[in-house]
Amino acid sequence: MRLTILLASVAALAIAGPSATTAQEPQPQQEEVVVDQGVLRPLPIAVASFAGQNGAELSGVIRDDLRRSGYFEPLDPASFIETGLTLANAPNFPQWTSIGAQAVLYGEVSPRPDNRNDYGFRLYDPYRQCQLVAWKFTATPLQWRRIGHKIADMVYQRMTGESGFFDSRVVFVSESGTQLNRLSRLAISDQDGHDPVFLTQGDEIIMSPRFSMSDPNEITYVALGKDYSRIYLLNLSTNRRESLGEFDGQVLAPRFSNDGSKLAFSIIRGGNTDIYVMDLSSRQLRRLTSDPGIDTSPSFSPDGSQIVFTSDRSGSARLYTMRADGSGQRPISRGGGIYTAPAWSPRGDLIAFTRQAGGRFSTGVMRTDGSGERILSSSYFEEGPSWAPNGRYIMFARQAPGGDTRLWTVDLSGRVVSQAGYPGRGSDPAWSPLLDEQPTRLAATGPDACPT
């Protein structure tokens, strides 16, 4: 059937990366995704190899992204009956339903006179025999991998109703060397672990890297030297690094407000640890807590009105919330054990945390008032949860007895757990926001479009 629909155009993608050294780490291996019992069977989807430059590799990126989400089961391309799909025609639907495909994705890469490529694709429902999405991106040939992530995001959003998270990056602490001679470097990679880059040289101990949720090119982190601890701001597009100045005491756990205008962090001073907030435009510093206990790991709510933090003022580390001006401090965690590393969901509905109890470490979530606590993952050691930009997945660091610390992810059901793609040792991950705004028009138009 001849299609009359025109592919929507998206402006060319401009990706400015820092001038840093490409990390010399092993290439990511195919990770194992564990889907526990009780989960609905993932949706079988056929992702055909795209025609054109890097088309087969681009399709592989899409398959890996969708599989890792736990919601999709990409079918083996060797099972495909129909081949040679083109954007000008619809699939032969019976040939796809006969192999159990509930969705069919295909596309092509076409060169342009300006040395860029058009990346067009279509997504069909072969049972209803109608089109779900049709789109076209324009980008340079070197950006094919990121285009794969963007297409996976659009498929995920159209099929699940939730926004995607694949077109994002992760900053973390890369670890190498021995226990007595450990090298700590700030590193960044795509969310699937590909294209890792070292951002520091290893002459400082790196702690607590965090993204600004308003600018995926802006990060903050703590660097410890022989006689100093400093909070840095690093712009990934310009590679400009800026210190927030010298503080009377050791600084810990910086985190941006969601609009990027403020930074909350802790200062250890005179045997006490309190939370401060700095206005980044004026550099004015304000103290928010003054309890004799250890108050640390602040995390802003998405609207900037509240902060969740860890405090041991009651004798054991628990989670507390307060207004952004420091007033209204109250405990919210209710279980036993030690609660640390709270992180407010970008959707505003949940708080993730690390909990130590019964000789094990767990990654969990609770509502913002402390109710509805659920443990998503538990192991010998894990810490430092960070939310995916859609608020439906969490990345954290996990270590097996006698093993190395690795990056892992878990979904909100707690049933889809996988090792993140980065193959090296890593800890303290922080997930970026989406690198671009997602398109809002996801339903196809035309005579064969699926009903909304």
Side-chain angles (χ1 to χ4, degrees), residues 58-243:
L58 183 149
S59 300
V61 169
I62 298 170
R63 290 188 199 102
D64 290 344
D65 280 349
L66 295 178
R67 180 183 294 107
R68 197 166 47 252
S69 76
Y71 287 103
F72 298 89
E73 180 186 345
L75 300 177
D76 184 352
S79 69
F80 298 172
I81 300 172
E82 183 178 22
T83 59
L85 289 165
T86 69
L87 292 178
N89 295 282
N92 184 321
F93 298 118
Q95 293 191 10
W96 295 100
T97 57
S98 68
I99 65 172
Q102 296 188 29
V104 181
L105 175 72
Y106 62 96
E108 60 187 45
V109 183
S110 306
R112 294 166 53 99
D114 60 3
N115 295 321
R116 296 183 296 165
N117 288 333
D118 286 335
Y119 299 82
F121 74 94
R122 298 186 190 280
L123 179 68
Y124 272 89
D125 181 334
Y127 286 90
R128 291 192 291 166
Q129 299 189 5
C130 56
Q131 185 178 195
L132 295 164
V133 180
W135 209 270
K136 180 174 69 177
F137 294 100
T138 298
T140 69
L142 294 177
Q143 295 171 313
W144 64 267
R145 177 172 287 280
R146 185 173 169 202
I147 294 298
H149 293 319
K150 294 184 76 65
I151 293 174
D153 273 338
M154 296 188 73
V155 173
Y156 180 93
Q157 184 170 349
R158 184 64 177 88
M159 301 301 292
T160 69
E162 299 282 352
S163 62
F165 62 95
F166 303 115
D167 184 30
S168 59
R169 294 184 286 184
V170 177
V171 66
F172 57 96
V173 178
S174 173
E175 302 171 352
S176 58
T178 65
Q179 188 72 26
L180 297 178
N181 187 23
R182 178 169 295 181
L183 189 65
S184 164
R185 287 180 287 184
L186 182 66
I188 190 171
S189 71
D190 293 347
Q191 55 78 27
D192 60 355
H194 279 264
D195 299 328
V197 172
F198 294 132
L199 302 174
T200 60
Q201 301 304 312
D203 53 348
E204 299 170 309
I205 297 174
I206 303 300
M207 300 171 59
S208 305
R210 296 291 182 266
F211 275 98
S212 168
M213 292 296 102
S214 65
D215 184 353
N217 283 312
E218 196 76 25
I219 64 174
T220 183
Y221 64 95
V222 171
L224 302 180
K226 292 182 178 179
D227 56 358
Y228 64 85
S229 67
R230 293 173 185 155
I231 296 176
Y232 285 106
L233 302 179
L234 175 63
N235 187 284
L236 298 173
S237 61
T238 64
N239 207 31
R240 182 176 183 268
R241 187 174 85 156
E242 178 185 7
S243 171

Side-chain angles (χ1 to χ4, degrees), residues 357-369:
R360 293 175 67 82
F361 288 77
S362 303
T363 299
V365 294
M366 64 176 66
R367 299 189 186 98
T368 59
D369 63 357

